[in-house]
Amino acid sequence: MKMYIIKRNPMDYVTLPKLKHEMEYPAELEEKKYYYTRDELRNFLETIQGEDMSYTMFRLLAFTGARKGELYALHWSDVDFHHKTISLKKTLIHTSGKKQLQTSKTKSSRRKVSVDDETLAILKKWRSKQIQRYLTLELSSSFQSDDQQPIFTVYNQLKHEMDYCRLAYLNEKLERIFQKNPKLPQVNVHAFRHTHASLLFAAGASIKDVQARLGHKDIQTTMDIYTHVTDEAKEKTAEMFHKYMTF
């Protein structure tokens, strides 16, 4: 048996991969935001204010933290104008080619969220517009009682009836908004839920409060995904530290 002796260890030529914390990321990747700041959100909503239903939908997403499916599933009976709350207890799903309402799976995701007066006023205005639209399309007989009437519906020309929104409705609507207004920072639909969480933190809400409002079962989910802070909050943190140190 012959033994061959080599002068160098071949493993010396292997480049070891860097550990995750040692990897260098492009600055633009680190700074990429998946939510709107307060001013960016205000600008976005002002830009689409003339689009009644879209404006109301994106306002609700950003001011309640609702998921897209929860928004589609809302009925007028879910809105308590007197106590200023919205019940988020179901979601719209698409199965076997049909749209169906499904009760939210976890207890934490079935929740009531408080709503500000301005958002409630926008909802009332949209309700009047919705009724007018039914009348214009000669579908007034289809407008149902509050517990049966979805807040957001689209017209099905083939069936000549109003129906729940398709699951991709908001995605397509948002894409058209950005095409029409290319200067707006582009985010996806889920970013409005992320925006709500980020602005809650910036306003001083606790992790526990944000968890309850977003319907997270595990508080770690809230901490892992939604503990991004806005630039304004970062500045406040720096100011607080400086005032405390006093030198």
Side-chain angles (χ1 to χ4, degrees), residues 126-168:
W126 164 242
R127 191 179 190 189
S128 297
K129 293 275 188 179
Q130 186 185 48
I131 293 173
Q132 185 59 47
R133 190 178 184 194
Y134 273 65
L135 290 171
T136 301
L137 294 170
E138 298 181 350
L139 293 169
S140 57
S141 60
S142 301
F143 199 89
Q144 305 172 69
S145 58
D146 285 357
D147 60 331
Q148 296 293 325
Q149 179 61 43
I151 295 179
F152 302 110
T153 52
V154 292
Y155 179 55
N156 187 321
Q157 289 183 324
L158 294 177
K159 297 181 179 180
H160 186 55
E161 65 181 18
M162 303 301 281
D163 193 9
Y164 288 103
C165 297
R166 294 181 301 106
L167 298 186

Side-chain angles (χ1 to χ4, degrees), residues 36 40-48 58 174 177 192:
Y36 275 151
E40 288 170 339
L41 177 62
R42 181 190 292 115
N43 184 41
F44 174 86
L45 291 174
E46 287 176 351
T47 300
I48 66 168
F58 283 111
L174 189 59
I177 289 171
F192 289 88

